[in-house]
Amino acid sequence: MSEHSTMTKTTPMQVILATLGGLLTPGLVIFMIVMRSIGIAHSHINYVNPALANRMVMARIKPVAELKVVDLSAAKVEMTGQQVFQAVCTACHSVGALGSPKFGDKAAWAPHIAKGYPTLVQHALNGFKKMPARGGDPSLDNLEVERAVAYMADAGGANFKAPDSATAPVK
Ligand code: HEC
């Protein structure tokens, strides 16, 4: 008996299975790699919407720091009295902090209003006792302070009219 005769004969079925098995594993790996890259591409670029895709690309390649061009010659947008109040004066006058006349409190405002609008404006601009000049915000211009004084005093019972342009001399 020769050695050959002890080896079992490979059946066609085994050949088919071995071939399939050999192809299946690398095929699966390739399939997964392809799916993965499609997934990544999809999460990065929206091919369906070119405008969106463009924006996404621009967002990714835009420089870290952006240069904001500020036109210094552009006219400053004056805040209304209400806006100034909400931005600055409210800090004290909404709660009556430091003994300030509380917004809308007519009894508290009456003795202040009695001084007259020009005096109140001067006090608001330059400071008065614990009331800081311009409410502590030097970036407010005269007109804005004047408007805020009228806004607050009127809410406290006065009938002042805020000027359209600054009346007090610029300090
Ligand atoms: C840090 C707190 C504080 C802020 C902020 C503040 N005020 Fe006053 N304000 C006071 C105090 C305190 C008084 C009361 C002064 C007094 O009569 O003793 C006062 C009083 C006033 C008076 C009455 C002055 C007078 O002569 O009777 C006016 C008008 C006024 N504030 C306007 C403003 C305006 C306008 C703003 C915002 C731009 C502002 N205040 C922001 C604290 C503040």
Side-chain angles (χ1 to χ4, degrees):
M1 249 208 254
S2 77
E3 283 292 307
H4 279 287
S5 59
T6 60
M7 287 177 80
T8 45
K9 207 162 179 281
T10 317
T11 64
M13 194 56 193
Q14 284 174 317
V15 174
I16 292 170
L17 283 177
T19 313
L20 280 180
L23 287 176
L24 207 66
T25 312
L28 202 69
V29 170
I30 291 169
F31 176 76
M32 275 155 55
I33 291 172
V34 169
M35 287 315 281
R36 192 74 204 109
S37 19
I38 289 176
I40 290 169
H42 260 272
S43 69
H44 280 194
I45 296 171
N46 185 334
Y47 294 106
V48 187
N49 183 341
L52 182 62
N54 195 32
R55 237 186 18 240
M56 289 164 83
V57 170
M58 291 316 282
R60 279 187 174 76
I61 63 174
K62 83 169 182 202
V64 178
E66 254 178 272
L67 183 67
K68 281 228 165 67
V69 180
V70 178
D71 186 359
L72 290 175
S73 66
K76 171 184 156 126
V77 179
E78 305 275 356
M79 283 193 279
T80 65
Q82 185 183 19
Q83 286 169 336
V84 174
F85 170 74
Q86 283 166 352
V88 181
C89 322
T90 183
C92 293
H93 286 273
S94 280
V95 288
L98 305 174
S100 57
K102 207 169 158 184
F103 185 82
D105 184 338
K106 296 204 164 95
W109 271 97
H112 297 281
I113 291 167
K115 299 178 191 176
Y117 184 54
T119 305
L120 295 188
V121 166
Q122 284 308 317
H123 286 171
L125 285 172
N126 303 323
F128 178 70
K129 297 189 196 171
K130 287 189 183 140
M131 160 74 203
R134 293 172 202 269
D137 183 351
S139 74
L140 293 178
D141 63 26
N142 288 10
L143 178 58
E144 288 170 325
V145 173
E146 288 173 13
R147 284 175 173 171
V149 169
Y151 174 75
M152 275 206 289
D154 288 358
N159 194 13
F160 298 146
K161 201 176 149 9
D164 292 328
S165 55
T167 50
V170 178
K171 293 229 173 177

